[in-house]
Amino acid sequence: MRVEAISRILIIGAGAMGRQIGFQCAVSGFQVTLHDTGQDVLENAMQRLGDLLEHSIRNARLGESEAKEALDRVRTETDPEQAGADADLVSESVPEDPQLKGKILGRFNEICPEHTIFSTNTSSLLPSMFAEITGRPDRFAALHFHDTRVTDIVDVMPHPGTSFQTTALIEEFAKRIHQTPIVLHKENHGYVFNSMLMELLRSALTLAANGVADVEDIDRSWTGIMHTRTGPFGIMDSIGLDTVHSITDYWALQTGSSQQYKNAEFLKGYVDQGLLGQKTGKGFYTYTHDPEETRARAS
């Protein structure tokens, strides 16, 4: 399939990243289907999608007519059969569990047309961990997005069974949605940027979990010296503390690291209270403005 033939994008998982990916595809002229299991989740996703569009209008990235046209290109669907029947490219953003991801993509392998390209937005897993169960390993790779509000960088990571044609197609598609693809030559946990970022977040969590310093002071140390807008805990709030906890807990189980377990427990205290970061209005910080933006005060 040529990239020109791609017109319909299926987003599996309508959480924070799913809707950002859907937004980017819609404003780039593609027809988008947001799929999730609950209608309430999809209704919330459409509301947040509207917030993203308003944010783009305020920042002069889009005109009002362009924003309306983009929103008109998005539909929601809870029924997998209806969602995947005409998809040309699938982007999956479900929780960081390789068995879950493989099971869901395997189900859509039975639904989607033969030509459909599958991609995963996994933050920390390798596509080879669930490539076979997708049913189309040669047409499957990672297409990983960062926060589309602040960067246009995406990672394209094939696994050993991904065809050259699929990798090239996904790279070209990334350019079509106005992203800058970073193509990896081999699989790597955390891609390029996330490999560096996770070391920062792990170090920050270790300092906080061990009581070395307060969250706010750890962030101030980073932002004050590096002159960045946000510190590691502010970054975790933007990612979602449930996602950060899931990743931390997964690697604690994989490595058996007592410190990783301690870091996961530290995060769990916030997750159990529903303090998930920007998407709930409160995490390590309390967000006093549009939750799709990053202005906050300390909790």
Side-chain angles (χ1 to χ4, degrees):
M1 181 172 63
R2 297 176 60 85
V3 71
E4 293 81 5
I6 296 177
S7 63
R8 298 182 181 277
I9 312 302
L10 169 61
I11 309 295
I12 303 175
M17 283 312 303
R19 60 179 175 261
Q20 282 197 33
I21 298 167
F23 163 82
Q24 193 62 38
C25 293
V27 299
S28 301
F30 291 87
Q31 298 294 321
V32 175
T33 299
L34 288 178
H35 168 71
D36 215 304
T37 55
Q39 188 61 41
D40 57 334
V41 175
L42 293 173
E43 289 173 2
N44 179 65
M46 290 303 293
Q47 181 180 341
R48 294 296 182 87
L49 200 62
D51 293 339
L52 282 169
L53 289 166
E54 288 179 12
H55 176 70
S56 295
I57 293 170
R58 287 197 302 270
N59 288 275
R61 289 180 61 191
L62 287 177
E64 289 191 16
S65 61
E66 292 176 294
K68 183 181 183 304
E69 289 170 4
L71 199 59
D72 288 343
R73 285 192 283 269
V74 181
R75 71 182 181 98
T76 61
E77 183 57 69
T78 57
D79 181 2
E81 297 282 349
Q82 294 294 321
D86 58 0
D88 297 313
L89 185 141
V90 171
S91 174
E92 165 270 311
S93 289
V94 302
E96 293 289 278
D97 180 334
Q99 291 186 334
L100 176 63
K101 287 178 180 290
K103 179 181 178 181
I104 290 173
L105 288 174
R107 174 75 178 96
F108 276 94
N109 178 54
E110 300 171 356
I111 297 168
C112 293
E114 185 71 17
H115 70 265
T116 308
I117 300 297
F118 281 13
S119 68
T120 177
N121 185 52
T122 179
S123 298
S124 61
L125 304 176
L126 301 178
S128 61
M129 297 170 72
F130 50 99
E132 289 301 324
I133 198 172
T134 68
R136 55 184 77 194
D138 59 319
R139 286 154 288 162
F140 170 65
L143 175 58
H144 172 253
F145 291 73
H146 299 271
D147 190 332
T148 62
R149 297 164 296 177
V150 297
T151 183
D152 65 356
I153 295 294
V154 295
D155 302 291
V156 178
M157 185 167 72
H159 65 90
T162 306
S163 72
F164 172 81
Q165 291 84 357
T166 295
T167 303
L169 185 68
I170 292 176
E171 180 183 4
E172 188 59 33
F173 172 73
K175 295 175 183 176
R176 290 291 180 103
I177 57 172
H178 307 103
Q179 300 294 285
T180 302
I182 306 298
V183 182
L184 278 72
H185 301 305
K186 60 190 293 186
E187 287 187 302
N188 184 63
H189 287 289
Y191 307 94
V192 177
F193 176 78
N194 275 9
S195 291
M196 298 182 283
L197 177 64
M198 292 311 294
E199 291 300 322
L200 169 64
L201 302 189
R202 186 180 300 113
S203 296
L205 282 169
T206 296
L207 289 168
N210 289 342
V212 174
D214 292 336
V215 163
E216 294 83 359
D217 281 337
I218 295 168
D219 269 0
R220 287 189 194 103
S221 179
W222 184 265
T223 59
I225 294 171
M226 298 303 293
H227 302 288
T228 59
R229 183 179 179 184
T230 307
F233 289 97
I235 292 171
M236 284 185 253
D237 270 353
S238 70
I239 295 170
L241 300 192
D242 50 344
T243 299
V244 179
H245 172 261
S246 176
I247 294 169
T248 305
D249 190 56
Y250 175 82
W251 285 111
L253 290 168
Q254 293 298 308
T255 63
S257 165
S258 59
Q259 185 61 60
Q260 282 279 61
Y261 278 116
K262 193 171 183 178
N263 293 353
E265 281 300 308
F266 177 77
L267 287 163
K268 190 173 184 294
Y270 288 84
V271 173
D272 286 349
Q273 296 178 70
L275 306 177
L276 307 184
Q278 288 183 31
K279 60 187 173 184
T280 59
K282 193 170 184 180
F284 292 115
Y285 298 94
T286 297
Y287 294 81
T288 58
H289 195 56
D290 181 347
E292 293 292 353
E293 297 186 7
T294 53
R295 294 171 58 188
R297 62 179 172 80
S299 297

